[in-house]
Amino acid sequence: KNQINKLLAELGIRIAGYQPEKPVSSFGHMGFPDRLLERIRKVGFLDPTPIQSTAIPQILAGRDVIGIAQTGSGKTAGFVWPIIYHVTKQRPLKYGDGPMALIMAPTRELCQQLYAEVRKFAKNYDSFRVGICFGGVNMYEQGKELKMGVEILVATPGRLIDHVKKGNTELSKCTIICLDEADRMLELGFEPQVRSICNHVRPDKQCLFFSATFKKVIERLATEVLNDPVKLTQGQIGQ
Ligand code: ADP
Ligand code: MG
């Protein structure tokens, strides 16, 4: 316990929640498969950032996580790597299956970045199917892609609901949901859609919230949606 606190102090991270996992400060000790580690090294990353060191062990242990850290702290990879690993354990996908993992983001640009990031790190896996959907463009082409089946889906909440209603995809296989930029998501008024999606997915799902700030609205949604979460806060945010 003292050792954990010392590590956390060095990393500048506070942890709240029941029996959190110990931070891991090297990629080689995270328990990731070689194919993923190879990609991480290829991209040129040497060590995990503090939010990655602390969030990844919780996610791999199956915990719900709230991760609060400023922009540029490496939050994306902190959930993308465990999500890729999670999915590779459940492959292969059958034609037409809905996603095993869902990443939600508030804007098209953010969805595109997340999509690129997932593909970059999943490159060593054969025909890894990553889907993307966001509003403001025709449903048809997106729907065609989704109908073939995806393993990881990156989506804005409104458009995802439209596709589910149309029968282009379904969420019965989804066992992990991640909300990126949760603060912006709620500021843009997506709370009802996010709540409806979270409630629609199987109750034993794992749920992750990542954000640069932590406000009352996030706390309220987290209390409602998350199950016994571990909350990680980097630096002075939200104090
Ligand atoms: P956030 O979502 O917290 O704002 P990002 O996930 O976008 O931050 O990461 C910020 C930058 O840091 C990106 O360019 C990303 O490629 C880089 N990065 C992420 N993790 C590492 C790492 N472990 N080592 C070096 N660079 C990293
Ligand atoms: Mg981010």
Side-chain angles (χ1 to χ4, degrees):
K1 180 94 199 185
N2 268 339
Q3 209 192 347
I4 296 186
N5 284 333
K6 193 161 163 272
L7 266 172
L8 288 170
E10 282 167 14
L11 293 168
I13 301 266
R14 284 174 290 135
I15 290 194
Y18 180 70
Q19 294 193 345
E21 301 293 317
K22 221 171 60 206
V24 176
S25 41
S26 84
F27 288 127
H29 293 103
M30 297 227 159
F32 285 147
D34 289 341
R35 283 187 203 209
L36 181 56
L37 284 176
E38 224 174 75
R39 284 303 298 161
I40 295 173
R41 297 210 175 96
K42 198 103 182 189
V43 167
F45 294 177
L46 301 177
D47 290 303
T49 66
I51 193 71
Q52 291 164 1
S53 289
T54 44
I56 292 169
Q58 322 302 329
I59 304 175
L60 294 179
R63 297 294 298 269
D64 282 3
V65 172
I66 304 171
I68 313 294
Q70 66 195 38
T71 302
S73 53
K75 295 188 291 295
T76 312
F79 59 80
V80 163
W81 297 328
I83 285 176
I84 289 173
Y85 181 32
H86 175 92
V87 166
T88 61
K89 285 188 282 191
Q90 301 176 44
R91 303 185 88 198
L93 170 97
K94 287 203 295 295
Y95 187 88
D97 271 355
M100 304 163 189
L102 172 64
I103 301 174
M104 286 191 279
T107 65
R108 166 196 192 138
E109 289 71 30
L110 197 55
C111 283
Q112 286 167 332
Q113 283 170 27
L114 289 163
Y115 175 80
E117 207 70 2
V118 173
R119 298 202 25 166
K120 178 163 85 187
F121 289 108
K123 226 176 203 163
N124 279 354
Y125 294 93
D126 290 333
S127 58
F128 203 93
R129 292 197 54 88
V130 190
I132 179 168
C133 67
F134 45 76
V137 296
N138 192 285
M139 290 272 295
Y140 181 74
E141 288 296 324
Q142 282 179 358
K144 250 182 12 191
E145 279 288 314
L146 290 180
K147 277 184 188 166
M148 290 196 284
V150 290
E151 286 160 297
I152 298 180
L153 178 59
V154 181
T156 53
R159 181 50 68 103
L160 172 62
I161 291 177
D162 294 343
H163 280 296
V164 170
K165 281 188 181 151
K166 279 230 170 226
N168 293 337
T169 188
E170 51 84 34
L171 299 172
S172 68
K173 300 247 168 9
C174 182
T175 43
I176 187 163
I177 295 188
C178 180
L179 227 70
D180 193 21
E181 304 216 354
D183 48 359
R184 277 176 76 200
M185 193 92 91
L186 300 185
E187 276 161 26
L188 290 170
F190 282 126
E191 187 173 351
Q193 287 94 326
V194 169
R195 179 180 287 114
S196 130
I197 291 164
C198 289
N199 290 335
H200 185 81
V201 174
R202 46 199 293 164
D204 61 347
K205 67 182 171 297
Q206 189 179 2
C207 218
L208 318 170
F209 280 15
F210 280 87
S211 179
T213 63
F214 190 71
K215 300 192 180 118
K216 271 265 140 49
V217 273
I218 302 186
E219 188 166 10
R220 197 179 61 205
L221 188 66
T223 308
E224 211 183 293
V225 170
L226 303 186
N227 208 334
D228 195 16
V230 177
K231 184 181 167 198
L232 308 164
T233 313
Q234 182 166 38
Q236 303 305 307
I237 301 165
Q239 281 207 4

